[in-house]
Amino acid sequence: MPSVNKKRKNSTNCGESTAKKSRSSNMNRQRNISDLLMGSGKRRQPASARSHGKTSSHSQSSFSTKKCLKWFQEYSGMNDVIDPEGMEKFCEDISVEPENVVMLVLAHQLAAKQMGYFTQGEWEKGMGNLQCDTAEKLKSKLDYLRSLLNDPSEFKNIYRYAFDFAREPDQRCIDIEVAKGMLQLLLGSKWSMFSKFYDFLEKSRYKSLNRDQWNNVLEFSRAIKPDFSNYDVDGAWPVLIDEFVEWYKENS
């Protein structure tokens, strides 16, 4: 169900202004998504608590915490965080492109708090839950991780997680460019009207999206038919959605 908060037609939540010029290239979109998930050097690195020495491994057949930590240190060095450079090597080792949505699913499984970084605590707990202590074991779980995107409940959890994952720690909203990249990653292949919605965002006055707007985009994509026959103009959708419907009708 959409939000029950009353609409405020004059409110633009967290700032809105004239839209930036459209960047329509699919190549640019993919590059933006890759930069998004890899951190692109724009966000602060989590503080390192301490260094860790080398450890021995247990057998290949069962999960080993020590082996998992040694695997982590292949990407973190002697720090307790994997940064974007280490993340790039990690993606190479599991044969996954950084812009692949499965990386977001994995971040959700690890409960990672910051794009482009995995802390030791996140890694040990998340990989422990997945029972993965080597790249090969994780590669064998990639199909399972992808399958979570086909479960409506799991997908909703991942989608909502993406909002906090993408926003700056001191901000309540996510920048519109970041939002577009995340929406492309999550809804680009799932929502038949996504390309139109993306175009709308590029030409709109919105500079950011708040949590209510973010959550309602998913609900709208699931609930409303492509011909808008079940769309209630007097419903409780946020103004962003009303404006998209109006824009779509005027530009179709």
Side-chain angles (χ1 to χ4, degrees):
M1 293 293 291
S3 170
V4 296
N5 293 334
K6 294 183 179 179
K7 298 177 186 175
R8 293 184 294 175
K9 292 288 183 180
N10 294 325
S11 172
T12 56
N13 291 324
C14 302
E16 303 156 349
S17 67
T18 29
K20 298 177 182 178
K21 291 184 179 179
S22 172
R23 290 184 289 177
S24 59
S25 166
N26 285 334
M27 184 178 297
N28 284 342
R29 290 190 191 183
Q30 289 299 319
R31 187 180 300 115
N32 289 343
I33 291 170
S34 178
D35 288 344
L36 184 66
L37 292 178
M38 295 297 286
S40 65
K42 293 169 65 178
R43 306 187 68 162
R44 296 187 303 274
Q45 178 174 337
S48 175
R50 61 183 183 277
S51 297
H52 301 274
K54 293 183 179 180
T55 58
S56 60
S57 62
H58 288 172
S59 68
Q60 294 281 348
S61 60
S62 60
F63 177 80
S64 164
T65 299
K66 290 184 178 180
K67 191 173 183 178
C68 186
L69 175 57
K70 186 175 181 180
W71 181 35
F72 173 85
Q73 290 172 341
E74 291 180 19
Y75 312 113
S76 69
M78 298 305 291
N79 299 318
D80 66 354
V81 62
I82 298 173
D83 62 15
E85 184 177 352
M87 197 72 73
E88 185 174 356
K89 182 178 185 300
F90 170 61
C91 288
E92 291 176 359
D93 287 353
I94 62 172
S95 304
V96 172
E97 294 296 324
E99 65 270 20
N100 194 303
V101 68
V102 77
M103 289 300 296
L104 179 61
V105 181
L106 178 61
H108 178 251
Q109 291 289 306
L110 270 60
K113 291 182 170 58
Q114 186 170 333
M115 289 188 298
Y117 299 91
F118 288 153
T119 67
Q120 182 188 316
E122 293 165 351
W123 181 276
E124 290 183 327
K125 183 175 181 180
M127 293 301 183
N129 290 337
L130 290 170
Q131 291 291 285
C132 293
D133 53 20
T134 66
E136 289 304 314
K137 285 184 180 180
L138 182 57
K139 286 169 73 172
S140 73
K141 294 289 182 73
L142 292 179
D143 284 343
Y144 161 72
L145 295 176
R146 293 186 183 98
S147 74
L148 298 178
L149 295 167
N150 298 321
D151 181 290
S153 179
E154 288 290 343
F155 182 84
K156 184 174 183 177
N157 289 337
I158 294 166
Y159 180 92
R160 292 196 168 194
Y161 160 80
F163 180 87
D164 287 318
F165 187 57
R167 69 181 174 87
E168 294 288 345
D170 58 346
Q171 298 294 321
R172 297 176 63 186
C173 304
I174 53 176
D175 177 81
I176 195 64
E177 295 301 320
V178 175
K180 287 188 296 184
M182 275 295 184
L183 289 170
Q184 171 76 36
L185 193 68
L186 289 160
L187 298 180
S189 62
K190 287 181 171 288
W191 184 20
S192 62
M193 297 176 66
F194 176 77
S195 62
K196 288 291 187 180
F197 185 72
Y198 189 99
D199 289 344
F200 160 74
L201 289 179
E202 291 223 308
K203 297 169 184 176
S204 76
R205 59 203 170 95
Y206 290 90
K207 294 179 67 177
S208 60
L209 295 185
N210 63 31
R211 190 183 303 275
D212 182 64
Q213 292 166 333
W214 175 265
N215 290 343
N216 274 281
V217 169
L218 176 62
E219 298 308 318
F220 179 85
S221 73
R222 288 179 162 184
I224 302 304
K225 298 178 181 178
D227 62 0
F228 302 115
S229 58
N230 62 336
Y231 181 76
D232 181 3
V233 69
D234 295 319
W237 297 103
V239 175
L240 170 76
I241 298 298
D242 289 337
E243 291 179 348
F244 167 61
V245 174
E246 292 172 6
W247 177 89
Y248 184 90
K249 292 179 177 178
E250 291 173 359
N251 291 275
S252 296

